[in-house]
PDB file of all heavy atoms in Angstrom:
ATOM      1  N   GLU A1113       0.826  -1.185   0.005  1.00 97.00           N
ATOM      2  CA  GLU A1113      -0.061   0.017  -0.009  1.00 97.00           C
ATOM      3  C   GLU A1113       0.866   1.238   0.020  1.00 97.00           C
ATOM      4  O   GLU A1113       1.976   1.288   0.601  1.00 97.00           O
ATOM      5  CB  GLU A1113      -0.874   0.028   1.211  1.00 97.00           C
ATOM      6  CG  GLU A1113      -1.950   1.106   1.248  1.00 97.00           C
ATOM      7  CD  GLU A1113      -2.877   0.966   2.453  1.00 97.00           C
ATOM      8  OE1 GLU A1113      -2.763   0.011   3.222  1.00 97.00           O
ATOM      9  OE2 GLU A1113      -3.732   1.850   2.656  1.00 97.00           O
ATOM     10  N   PHE A1114       0.443   2.249  -0.702  1.00 97.00           N
ATOM     11  CA  PHE A1114       1.043   3.545  -0.757  1.00 97.00           C
ATOM     12  C   PHE A1114       0.181   4.617  -0.142  1.00 97.00           C
ATOM     13  O   PHE A1114      -0.973   4.516  -0.131  1.00 97.00           O
ATOM     14  CB  PHE A1114       1.436   3.942  -2.227  1.00 97.00           C
ATOM     15  CG  PHE A1114       2.383   2.923  -2.901  1.00 97.00           C
ATOM     16  CD1 PHE A1114       1.870   1.885  -3.573  1.00 97.00           C
ATOM     17  CD2 PHE A1114       3.791   3.132  -2.903  1.00 97.00           C
ATOM     18  CE1 PHE A1114       2.631   0.970  -4.184  1.00 97.00           C
ATOM     19  CE2 PHE A1114       4.591   2.222  -3.545  1.00 97.00           C
ATOM     20  CZ  PHE A1114       4.043   1.095  -4.130  1.00 97.00           C
ATOM     21  N   GLY A1115       0.825   5.637   0.391  1.00 97.00           N
ATOM     22  CA  GLY A1115       0.076   6.827   0.941  1.00 97.00           C
ATOM     23  C   GLY A1115       0.949   8.099   1.031  1.00 97.00           C
ATOM     24  O   GLY A1115       2.088   8.143   0.711  1.00 97.00           O
ATOM     25  N   CYS A1116       0.238   9.143   1.510  1.00 97.00           N
ATOM     26  CA  CYS A1116       0.847  10.477   1.620  1.00 97.00           C
ATOM     27  C   CYS A1116       1.154  11.078   0.271  1.00 97.00           C
ATOM     28  O   CYS A1116       2.310  11.073  -0.125  1.00 97.00           O
ATOM     29  CB  CYS A1116       2.089  10.428   2.577  1.00 97.00           C
ATOM     30  SG  CYS A1116       1.767   9.818   4.223  1.00 97.00           S
ATOM     31  N   TYR A1117       0.154  11.601  -0.286  1.00 97.00           N
ATOM     32  CA  TYR A1117       0.278  12.159  -1.674  1.00 97.00           C
ATOM     33  C   TYR A1117       0.309  13.680  -1.667  1.00 97.00           C
ATOM     34  O   TYR A1117       0.381  14.270  -2.797  1.00 97.00           O
ATOM     35  CB  TYR A1117      -0.952  11.701  -2.542  1.00 97.00           C
ATOM     36  CG  TYR A1117      -0.996  10.194  -2.703  1.00 97.00           C
ATOM     37  CD1 TYR A1117      -1.752   9.388  -1.854  1.00 97.00           C
ATOM     38  CD2 TYR A1117      -0.275   9.595  -3.683  1.00 97.00           C
ATOM     39  CE1 TYR A1117      -1.820   7.991  -2.002  1.00 97.00           C
ATOM     40  CE2 TYR A1117      -0.361   8.195  -3.860  1.00 97.00           C
ATOM     41  CZ  TYR A1117      -1.081   7.452  -3.047  1.00 97.00           C
ATOM     42  OH  TYR A1117      -1.069   6.110  -3.196  1.00 97.00           O
ATOM     43  N   ARG A1118       0.312  14.323  -0.583  1.00 96.00           N
ATOM     44  CA  ARG A1118       0.390  15.728  -0.552  1.00 96.00           C
ATOM     45  C   ARG A1118       1.853  16.224  -0.949  1.00 96.00           C
ATOM     46  O   ARG A1118       2.824  15.501  -0.792  1.00 96.00           O
ATOM     47  CB  ARG A1118       0.034  16.312   0.790  1.00 96.00           C
ATOM     48  CG  ARG A1118      -1.306  15.831   1.310  1.00 96.00           C
ATOM     49  CD  ARG A1118      -1.644  16.312   2.694  1.00 96.00           C
ATOM     50  NE  ARG A1118      -2.651  15.564   3.250  1.00 96.00           N
ATOM     51  CZ  ARG A1118      -3.256  15.825   4.467  1.00 96.00           C
ATOM     52  NH1 ARG A1118      -2.848  16.824   5.202  1.00 96.00           N
ATOM     53  NH2 ARG A1118      -4.212  15.033   4.882  1.00 96.00           N
ATOM     54  N   PRO A1119       1.893  17.429  -1.535  1.00 95.00           N
ATOM     55  CA  PRO A1119       3.283  17.884  -1.953  1.00 95.00           C
ATOM     56  C   PRO A1119       4.212  18.059  -0.846  1.00 95.00           C
ATOM     57  O   PRO A1119       3.872  17.990   0.348  1.00 95.00           O
ATOM     58  CB  PRO A1119       2.990  19.280  -2.590  1.00 95.00           C
ATOM     59  CG  PRO A1119       1.498  19.239  -2.841  1.00 95.00           C
ATOM     60  CD  PRO A1119       0.935  18.367  -1.823  1.00 95.00           C
ATOM     61  N   ALA A1120       5.533  18.187  -1.126  1.00 94.00           N
ATOM     62  CA  ALA A1120       6.592  18.229  -0.176  1.00 94.00           C
ATOM     63  C   ALA A1120       6.736  19.728   0.301  1.00 94.00           C
ATOM     64  O   ALA A1120       7.603  20.423  -0.081  1.00 94.00           O
ATOM     65  CB  ALA A1120       7.902  17.751  -0.794  1.00 94.00           C
ATOM     66  N   VAL A1121       5.753  20.073   1.160  1.00 94.00           N
ATOM     67  CA  VAL A1121       5.786  21.401   1.831  1.00 94.00           C
ATOM     68  C   VAL A1121       6.104  21.221   3.309  1.00 94.00           C
ATOM     69  O   VAL A1121       6.001  20.169   3.865  1.00 94.00           O
ATOM     70  CB  VAL A1121       4.405  22.060   1.631  1.00 94.00           C
ATOM     71  CG1 VAL A1121       4.176  22.419   0.168  1.00 94.00           C
ATOM     72  CG2 VAL A1121       3.252  21.217   2.156  1.00 94.00           C
ATOM     73  N   ARG A1122       6.581  22.259   3.924  1.00 92.00           N
ATOM     74  CA  ARG A1122       7.043  22.160   5.282  1.00 92.00           C
ATOM     75  C   ARG A1122       6.038  22.590   6.379  1.00 92.00           C
ATOM     76  O   ARG A1122       6.093  22.051   7.490  1.00 92.00           O
ATOM     77  CB  ARG A1122       8.299  23.047   5.435  1.00 92.00           C
ATOM     78  CG  ARG A1122       9.496  22.621   4.599  1.00 92.00           C
ATOM     79  CD  ARG A1122      10.723  23.500   4.910  1.00 92.00           C
ATOM     80  NE  ARG A1122      11.777  23.183   3.974  1.00 92.00           N
ATOM     81  CZ  ARG A1122      12.679  22.217   4.100  1.00 92.00           C
ATOM     82  NH1 ARG A1122      12.557  21.399   5.183  1.00 92.00           N
ATOM     83  NH2 ARG A1122      13.664  22.079   3.234  1.00 92.00           N
ATOM     84  N   SER A1123       5.057  23.376   6.098  1.00 95.00           N
ATOM     85  CA  SER A1123       4.163  23.922   7.135  1.00 95.00           C
ATOM     86  C   SER A1123       2.920  23.061   7.144  1.00 95.00           C
ATOM     87  O   SER A1123       2.419  22.536   6.156  1.00 95.00           O
ATOM     88  CB  SER A1123       3.777  25.349   6.802  1.00 95.00           C
ATOM     89  OG  SER A1123       2.965  25.443   5.642  1.00 95.00           O
ATOM     90  N   ALA A1124       2.337  23.021   8.425  1.00 96.00           N
ATOM     91  CA  ALA A1124       1.104  22.362   8.618  1.00 96.00           C
ATOM     92  C   ALA A1124      -0.038  23.030   7.792  1.00 96.00           C
ATOM     93  O   ALA A1124      -0.909  22.337   7.370  1.00 96.00           O
ATOM     94  CB  ALA A1124       0.802  22.290  10.104  1.00 96.00           C
ATOM     95  N   ARG A1125       0.031  24.333   7.705  1.00 96.00           N
ATOM     96  CA  ARG A1125      -0.964  25.094   7.002  1.00 96.00           C
ATOM     97  C   ARG A1125      -1.098  24.636   5.547  1.00 96.00           C
ATOM     98  O   ARG A1125      -2.205  24.343   5.033  1.00 96.00           O
ATOM     99  CB  ARG A1125      -0.647  26.578   7.096  1.00 96.00           C
ATOM    100  CG  ARG A1125      -1.677  27.455   6.304  1.00 96.00           C
ATOM    101  CD  ARG A1125      -1.214  28.897   6.426  1.00 96.00           C
ATOM    102  NE  ARG A1125      -2.087  29.740   5.561  1.00 96.00           N
ATOM    103  CZ  ARG A1125      -1.929  31.024   5.402  1.00 96.00           C
ATOM    104  NH1 ARG A1125      -0.862  31.588   5.970  1.00 96.00           N
ATOM    105  NH2 ARG A1125      -2.776  31.766   4.580  1.00 96.00           N
ATOM    106  N   TRP A1126       0.089  24.475   4.848  1.00 96.00           N
ATOM    107  CA  TRP A1126       0.006  24.114   3.456  1.00 96.00           C
ATOM    108  C   TRP A1126      -0.313  22.636   3.322  1.00 96.00           C
ATOM    109  O   TRP A1126      -0.951  22.232   2.313  1.00 96.00           O
ATOM    110  CB  TRP A1126       1.317  24.507   2.760  1.00 96.00           C
ATOM    111  CG  TRP A1126       1.392  25.945   2.428  1.00 96.00           C
ATOM    112  CD1 TRP A1126       2.131  26.900   3.001  1.00 96.00           C
ATOM    113  CD2 TRP A1126       0.715  26.498   1.329  1.00 96.00           C
ATOM    114  NE1 TRP A1126       1.898  28.148   2.477  1.00 96.00           N
ATOM    115  CE2 TRP A1126       1.098  27.975   1.336  1.00 96.00           C
ATOM    116  CE3 TRP A1126      -0.059  26.065   0.224  1.00 96.00           C
ATOM    117  CZ2 TRP A1126       0.628  28.803   0.443  1.00 96.00           C
ATOM    118  CZ3 TRP A1126      -0.512  26.977  -0.635  1.00 96.00           C
ATOM    119  CH2 TRP A1126      -0.270  28.338  -0.524  1.00 96.00           C
ATOM    120  N   LEU A1127       0.165  21.797   4.166  1.00 96.00           N
ATOM    121  CA  LEU A1127      -0.233  20.447   4.199  1.00 96.00           C
ATOM    122  C   LEU A1127      -1.748  20.259   4.280  1.00 96.00           C
ATOM    123  O   LEU A1127      -2.296  19.437   3.605  1.00 96.00           O
ATOM    124  CB  LEU A1127       0.438  19.667   5.296  1.00 96.00           C
ATOM    125  CG  LEU A1127       1.978  19.322   5.091  1.00 96.00           C
ATOM    126  CD1 LEU A1127       2.494  18.771   6.357  1.00 96.00           C
ATOM    127  CD2 LEU A1127       2.130  18.323   3.974  1.00 96.00           C
ATOM    128  N   ASP A1128      -2.387  20.986   5.115  1.00 97.00           N
ATOM    129  CA  ASP A1128      -3.810  20.969   5.284  1.00 97.00           C
ATOM    130  C   ASP A1128      -4.555  21.441   4.043  1.00 97.00           C
ATOM    131  O   ASP A1128      -5.592  20.912   3.668  1.00 97.00           O
ATOM    132  CB  ASP A1128      -4.334  21.843   6.486  1.00 97.00           C
ATOM    133  CG  ASP A1128      -3.845  21.204   7.800  1.00 97.00           C
ATOM    134  OD1 ASP A1128      -3.569  20.067   7.853  1.00 97.00           O
ATOM    135  OD2 ASP A1128      -3.807  21.974   8.775  1.00 97.00           O
ATOM    136  N   ARG A1129      -3.958  22.443   3.344  1.00 96.00           N
ATOM    137  CA  ARG A1129      -4.592  22.968   2.093  1.00 96.00           C
ATOM    138  C   ARG A1129      -4.606  21.860   1.005  1.00 96.00           C
ATOM    139  O   ARG A1129      -5.478  21.899   0.123  1.00 96.00           O
ATOM    140  CB  ARG A1129      -3.858  24.173   1.576  1.00 96.00           C
ATOM    141  CG  ARG A1129      -4.163  25.454   2.419  1.00 96.00           C
ATOM    142  CD  ARG A1129      -3.581  26.630   1.749  1.00 96.00           C
ATOM    143  NE  ARG A1129      -3.932  27.906   2.410  1.00 96.00           N
ATOM    144  CZ  ARG A1129      -3.734  29.082   1.887  1.00 96.00           C
ATOM    145  NH1 ARG A1129      -3.114  29.289   0.687  1.00 96.00           N
ATOM    146  NH2 ARG A1129      -4.124  30.168   2.598  1.00 96.00           N
ATOM    147  N   PHE A1130      -3.612  21.008   1.027  1.00 97.00           N
ATOM    148  CA  PHE A1130      -3.508  20.014   0.005  1.00 97.00           C
ATOM    149  C   PHE A1130      -4.057  18.626   0.470  1.00 97.00           C
ATOM    150  O   PHE A1130      -3.711  17.516  -0.137  1.00 97.00           O
ATOM    151  CB  PHE A1130      -2.052  19.800  -0.461  1.00 97.00           C
ATOM    152  CG  PHE A1130      -1.552  20.920  -1.244  1.00 97.00           C
ATOM    153  CD1 PHE A1130      -0.600  21.897  -0.777  1.00 97.00           C
ATOM    154  CD2 PHE A1130      -1.906  21.066  -2.624  1.00 97.00           C
ATOM    155  CE1 PHE A1130      -0.138  22.938  -1.489  1.00 97.00           C
ATOM    156  CE2 PHE A1130      -1.412  22.087  -3.417  1.00 97.00           C
ATOM    157  CZ  PHE A1130      -0.614  23.005  -2.888  1.00 97.00           C
ATOM    158  N   ALA A1131      -4.836  18.623   1.484  1.00 97.00           N
ATOM    159  CA  ALA A1131      -5.418  17.351   2.024  1.00 97.00           C
ATOM    160  C   ALA A1131      -6.227  16.591   0.924  1.00 97.00           C
ATOM    161  O   ALA A1131      -6.209  15.381   0.928  1.00 97.00           O
ATOM    162  CB  ALA A1131      -6.246  17.660   3.257  1.00 97.00           C
ATOM    163  N   TRP A1132      -6.780  17.338   0.035  1.00 97.00           N
ATOM    164  CA  TRP A1132      -7.657  16.686  -1.007  1.00 97.00           C
ATOM    165  C   TRP A1132      -6.856  15.777  -1.873  1.00 97.00           C
ATOM    166  O   TRP A1132      -7.336  14.845  -2.590  1.00 97.00           O
ATOM    167  CB  TRP A1132      -8.371  17.788  -1.829  1.00 97.00           C
ATOM    168  CG  TRP A1132      -7.363  18.700  -2.475  1.00 97.00           C
ATOM    169  CD1 TRP A1132      -6.921  19.875  -1.937  1.00 97.00           C
ATOM    170  CD2 TRP A1132      -6.742  18.604  -3.801  1.00 97.00           C
ATOM    171  NE1 TRP A1132      -6.072  20.534  -2.864  1.00 97.00           N
ATOM    172  CE2 TRP A1132      -5.916  19.778  -3.956  1.00 97.00           C
ATOM    173  CE3 TRP A1132      -6.901  17.583  -4.803  1.00 97.00           C
ATOM    174  CZ2 TRP A1132      -5.216  19.924  -5.125  1.00 97.00           C
ATOM    175  CZ3 TRP A1132      -6.130  17.806  -5.978  1.00 97.00           C
ATOM    176  CH2 TRP A1132      -5.270  18.973  -6.123  1.00 97.00           C
ATOM    177  N   MET A1133      -5.487  15.997  -1.971  1.00 97.00           N
ATOM    178  CA  MET A1133      -4.666  15.208  -2.795  1.00 97.00           C
ATOM    179  C   MET A1133      -4.475  13.751  -2.403  1.00 97.00           C
ATOM    180  O   MET A1133      -4.147  12.847  -3.236  1.00 97.00           O
ATOM    181  CB  MET A1133      -3.303  15.832  -2.994  1.00 97.00           C
ATOM    182  CG  MET A1133      -3.350  17.101  -3.804  1.00 97.00           C
ATOM    183  SD  MET A1133      -1.642  17.839  -4.120  1.00 97.00           S
ATOM    184  CE  MET A1133      -0.991  16.516  -5.216  1.00 97.00           C
ATOM    185  N   ASP A1134      -4.736  13.474  -1.103  1.00 97.00           N
ATOM    186  CA  ASP A1134      -4.657  12.067  -0.620  1.00 97.00           C
ATOM    187  C   ASP A1134      -5.630  11.182  -1.325  1.00 97.00           C
ATOM    188  O   ASP A1134      -5.319  10.037  -1.803  1.00 97.00           O
ATOM    189  CB  ASP A1134      -4.824  12.018   0.872  1.00 97.00           C
ATOM    190  CG  ASP A1134      -3.552  12.464   1.655  1.00 97.00           C
ATOM    191  OD1 ASP A1134      -2.514  12.306   1.151  1.00 97.00           O
ATOM    192  OD2 ASP A1134      -3.772  13.005   2.731  1.00 97.00           O
ATOM    193  N   ALA A1135      -6.918  11.555  -1.479  1.00 96.00           N
ATOM    194  CA  ALA A1135      -7.941  10.778  -2.119  1.00 96.00           C
ATOM    195  C   ALA A1135      -7.681  10.762  -3.626  1.00 96.00           C
ATOM    196  O   ALA A1135      -7.790   9.705  -4.263  1.00 96.00           O
ATOM    197  CB  ALA A1135      -9.261  11.382  -1.834  1.00 96.00           C
ATOM    198  N   VAL A1136      -7.278  11.857  -4.205  1.00 96.00           N
ATOM    199  CA  VAL A1136      -7.102  11.877  -5.668  1.00 96.00           C
ATOM    200  C   VAL A1136      -5.803  11.054  -6.047  1.00 96.00           C
ATOM    201  O   VAL A1136      -5.893  10.280  -7.019  1.00 96.00           O
ATOM    202  CB  VAL A1136      -6.900  13.345  -6.180  1.00 96.00           C
ATOM    203  CG1 VAL A1136      -6.471  13.356  -7.627  1.00 96.00           C
ATOM    204  CG2 VAL A1136      -8.147  14.139  -5.965  1.00 96.00           C
ATOM    205  N   GLY A1137      -4.736  11.267  -5.260  1.00 95.00           N
ATOM    206  CA  GLY A1137      -3.519  10.508  -5.544  1.00 95.00           C
ATOM    207  C   GLY A1137      -3.727   8.954  -5.443  1.00 95.00           C
ATOM    208  O   GLY A1137      -3.121   8.187  -6.241  1.00 95.00           O
ATOM    209  N   ALA A1138      -4.464   8.504  -4.466  1.00 94.00           N
ATOM    210  CA  ALA A1138      -4.740   7.048  -4.320  1.00 94.00           C
ATOM    211  C   ALA A1138      -5.398   6.481  -5.505  1.00 94.00           C
ATOM    212  O   ALA A1138      -5.241   5.312  -5.804  1.00 94.00           O
ATOM    213  CB  ALA A1138      -5.535   6.827  -3.002  1.00 94.00           C
ATOM    214  N   ARG A1139      -6.223   7.261  -6.217  1.00 94.00           N
ATOM    215  CA  ARG A1139      -6.892   6.868  -7.415  1.00 94.00           C
ATOM    216  C   ARG A1139      -6.077   7.099  -8.654  1.00 94.00           C
ATOM    217  O   ARG A1139      -6.077   6.177  -9.576  1.00 94.00           O
ATOM    218  CB  ARG A1139      -8.235   7.518  -7.579  1.00 94.00           C
ATOM    219  CG  ARG A1139      -9.287   7.182  -6.450  1.00 94.00           C
ATOM    220  CD  ARG A1139     -10.615   7.678  -6.749  1.00 94.00           C
ATOM    221  NE  ARG A1139     -10.631   9.046  -7.181  1.00 94.00           N
ATOM    222  CZ  ARG A1139     -10.917  10.021  -6.337  1.00 94.00           C
ATOM    223  NH1 ARG A1139     -11.174   9.801  -5.077  1.00 94.00           N
ATOM    224  NH2 ARG A1139     -10.946  11.332  -6.761  1.00 94.00           N
ATOM    225  N   ALA A1140      -5.483   8.261  -8.842  1.00 94.00           N
ATOM    226  CA  ALA A1140      -4.859   8.623 -10.078  1.00 94.00           C
ATOM    227  C   ALA A1140      -3.460   8.234 -10.233  1.00 94.00           C
ATOM    228  O   ALA A1140      -2.992   7.847 -11.298  1.00 94.00           O
ATOM    229  CB  ALA A1140      -4.985  10.151 -10.218  1.00 94.00           C
ATOM    230  N   TRP A1141      -2.617   8.276  -9.168  1.00 92.00           N
ATOM    231  CA  TRP A1141      -1.202   7.887  -9.244  1.00 92.00           C
ATOM    232  C   TRP A1141      -0.831   7.129  -7.971  1.00 92.00           C
ATOM    233  O   TRP A1141      -0.026   7.522  -7.129  1.00 92.00           O
ATOM    234  CB  TRP A1141      -0.314   9.078  -9.449  1.00 92.00           C
ATOM    235  CG  TRP A1141      -0.427  10.184  -8.464  1.00 92.00           C
ATOM    236  CD1 TRP A1141       0.167  10.401  -7.310  1.00 92.00           C
ATOM    237  CD2 TRP A1141      -1.374  11.408  -8.626  1.00 92.00           C
ATOM    238  NE1 TRP A1141      -0.203  11.585  -6.694  1.00 92.00           N
ATOM    239  CE2 TRP A1141      -1.170  12.157  -7.468  1.00 92.00           C
ATOM    240  CE3 TRP A1141      -2.261  11.778  -9.573  1.00 92.00           C
ATOM    241  CZ2 TRP A1141      -1.813  13.383  -7.267  1.00 92.00           C
ATOM    242  CZ3 TRP A1141      -2.926  12.993  -9.404  1.00 92.00           C
ATOM    243  CH2 TRP A1141      -2.717  13.755  -8.245  1.00 92.00           C
ATOM    244  N   PRO A1142      -1.322   5.936  -7.799  1.00 93.00           N
ATOM    245  CA  PRO A1142      -1.227   5.228  -6.473  1.00 93.00           C
ATOM    246  C   PRO A1142       0.240   4.872  -6.101  1.00 93.00           C
ATOM    247  O   PRO A1142       0.515   4.849  -4.905  1.00 93.00           O
ATOM    248  CB  PRO A1142      -2.092   3.916  -6.668  1.00 93.00           C
ATOM    249  CG  PRO A1142      -2.178   3.788  -8.196  1.00 93.00           C
ATOM    250  CD  PRO A1142      -2.190   5.180  -8.716  1.00 93.00           C
ATOM    251  N   ILE A1143       1.046   4.610  -7.063  1.00 94.00           N
ATOM    252  CA  ILE A1143       2.415   4.142  -6.684  1.00 94.00           C
ATOM    253  C   ILE A1143       3.388   5.270  -6.417  1.00 94.00           C
ATOM    254  O   ILE A1143       4.563   5.078  -6.094  1.00 94.00           O
ATOM    255  CB  ILE A1143       3.052   3.256  -7.788  1.00 94.00           C
ATOM    256  CG1 ILE A1143       3.264   4.055  -9.061  1.00 94.00           C
ATOM    257  CG2 ILE A1143       2.170   2.013  -8.038  1.00 94.00           C
ATOM    258  CD1 ILE A1143       4.058   3.277 -10.166  1.00 94.00           C
ATOM    259  N   PHE A1144       2.839   6.585  -6.481  1.00 95.00           N
ATOM    260  CA  PHE A1144       3.799   7.697  -6.244  1.00 95.00           C
ATOM    261  C   PHE A1144       3.556   8.341  -4.883  1.00 95.00           C
ATOM    262  O   PHE A1144       3.901   9.478  -4.662  1.00 95.00           O
ATOM    263  CB  PHE A1144       3.562   8.730  -7.329  1.00 95.00           C
ATOM    264  CG  PHE A1144       3.893   8.209  -8.758  1.00 95.00           C
ATOM    265  CD1 PHE A1144       2.980   8.166  -9.659  1.00 95.00           C
ATOM    266  CD2 PHE A1144       5.174   7.765  -8.913  1.00 95.00           C
ATOM    267  CE1 PHE A1144       3.310   7.664 -10.930  1.00 95.00           C
ATOM    268  CE2 PHE A1144       5.479   7.279 -10.183  1.00 95.00           C
ATOM    269  CZ  PHE A1144       4.582   7.236 -11.191  1.00 95.00           C
ATOM    270  N   GLY A1145       3.041   7.626  -3.939  1.00 96.00           N
ATOM    271  CA  GLY A1145       2.861   8.108  -2.556  1.00 96.00           C
ATOM    272  C   GLY A1145       4.236   8.263  -1.893  1.00 96.00           C
ATOM    273  O   GLY A1145       5.239   7.701  -2.304  1.00 96.00           O
ATOM    274  N   ALA A1146       4.368   9.166  -0.863  1.00 96.00           N
ATOM    275  CA  ALA A1146       5.640   9.400  -0.236  1.00 96.00           C
ATOM    276  C   ALA A1146       6.134   8.241   0.522  1.00 96.00           C
ATOM    277  O   ALA A1146       7.373   8.128   0.788  1.00 96.00           O
ATOM    278  CB  ALA A1146       5.475  10.636   0.710  1.00 96.00           C
ATOM    279  N   ALA A1147       5.250   7.309   0.876  1.00 96.00           N
ATOM    280  CA  ALA A1147       5.615   6.123   1.698  1.00 96.00           C
ATOM    281  C   ALA A1147       4.967   4.857   1.244  1.00 96.00           C
ATOM    282  O   ALA A1147       3.928   4.967   0.521  1.00 96.00           O
ATOM    283  CB  ALA A1147       5.367   6.347   3.161  1.00 96.00           C
ATOM    284  N   TYR A1148       5.552   3.749   1.542  1.00 97.00           N
ATOM    285  CA  TYR A1148       4.870   2.467   1.220  1.00 97.00           C
ATOM    286  C   TYR A1148       4.779   1.598   2.467  1.00 97.00           C
ATOM    287  O   TYR A1148       5.538   1.855   3.464  1.00 97.00           O
ATOM    288  CB  TYR A1148       5.578   1.689   0.134  1.00 97.00           C
ATOM    289  CG  TYR A1148       7.084   1.373   0.429  1.00 97.00           C
ATOM    290  CD1 TYR A1148       7.343   0.212   1.200  1.00 97.00           C
ATOM    291  CD2 TYR A1148       8.061   2.063  -0.171  1.00 97.00           C
ATOM    292  CE1 TYR A1148       8.617  -0.090   1.439  1.00 97.00           C
ATOM    293  CE2 TYR A1148       9.393   1.810   0.100  1.00 97.00           C
ATOM    294  CZ  TYR A1148       9.650   0.715   0.908  1.00 97.00           C
ATOM    295  OH  TYR A1148      10.967   0.376   1.111  1.00 97.00           O
ATOM    296  N   PHE A1149       3.823   0.676   2.415  1.00 98.00           N
ATOM    297  CA  PHE A1149       3.598  -0.192   3.616  1.00 98.00           C
ATOM    298  C   PHE A1149       3.370  -1.620   3.084  1.00 98.00           C
ATOM    299  O   PHE A1149       2.542  -1.846   2.255  1.00 98.00           O
ATOM    300  CB  PHE A1149       2.347   0.264   4.285  1.00 98.00           C
ATOM    301  CG  PHE A1149       1.976  -0.378   5.560  1.00 98.00           C
ATOM    302  CD1 PHE A1149       2.605   0.000   6.767  1.00 98.00           C
ATOM    303  CD2 PHE A1149       1.057  -1.469   5.641  1.00 98.00           C
ATOM    304  CE1 PHE A1149       2.311  -0.562   7.995  1.00 98.00           C
ATOM    305  CE2 PHE A1149       0.752  -2.031   6.832  1.00 98.00           C
ATOM    306  CZ  PHE A1149       1.376  -1.663   7.977  1.00 98.00           C
ATOM    307  N   VAL A1150       4.220  -2.490   3.546  1.00 98.00           N
ATOM    308  CA  VAL A1150       4.319  -3.922   3.085  1.00 98.00           C
ATOM    309  C   VAL A1150       3.949  -4.915   4.195  1.00 98.00           C
ATOM    310  O   VAL A1150       4.470  -4.732   5.349  1.00 98.00           O
ATOM    311  CB  VAL A1150       5.625  -4.241   2.492  1.00 98.00           C
ATOM    312  CG1 VAL A1150       5.670  -5.677   2.072  1.00 98.00           C
ATOM    313  CG2 VAL A1150       5.962  -3.317   1.334  1.00 98.00           C
ATOM    314  N   VAL A1151       3.102  -5.862   3.937  1.00 98.00           N
ATOM    315  CA  VAL A1151       2.803  -6.920   4.859  1.00 98.00           C
ATOM    316  C   VAL A1151       3.206  -8.203   4.140  1.00 98.00           C
ATOM    317  O   VAL A1151       2.696  -8.483   3.018  1.00 98.00           O
ATOM    318  CB  VAL A1151       1.273  -6.940   5.252  1.00 98.00           C
ATOM    319  CG1 VAL A1151       1.060  -8.158   6.262  1.00 98.00           C
ATOM    320  CG2 VAL A1151       0.914  -5.661   5.953  1.00 98.00           C
ATOM    321  N   ALA A1152       4.121  -8.983   4.752  1.00 98.00           N
ATOM    322  CA  ALA A1152       4.558 -10.246   4.193  1.00 98.00           C
ATOM    323  C   ALA A1152       4.489 -11.403   5.191  1.00 98.00           C
ATOM    324  O   ALA A1152       4.571 -11.129   6.379  1.00 98.00           O
ATOM    325  CB  ALA A1152       6.071 -10.079   3.596  1.00 98.00           C
TER     326      ALA A1152
END
């Protein structure tokens, strides 16, 4: 699983502004999340 699709900004304010990108990124570009999570 991949997650965290918001841009690489530093402030909490700008991260909150781009919160909508988490849902869009999971559908449109799923493998480009900032982190991955593996269960084996």
Side-chain angles (χ1 to χ4, degrees):
E1113 187 176 358
F1114 299 88
C1116 299
Y1117 296 94
R1118 304 179 198 183
V1121 294
R1122 297 185 186 275
S1123 70
R1125 177 184 176 186
W1126 280 103
L1127 282 170
D1128 291 340
R1129 285 191 175 187
F1130 287 105
W1132 57 272
M1133 290 187 65
D1134 282 331
V1136 175
R1139 296 193 305 268
W1141 53 88
I1143 65 172
F1144 297 120
Y1148 59 80
F1149 187 83
V1150 177
V1151 179

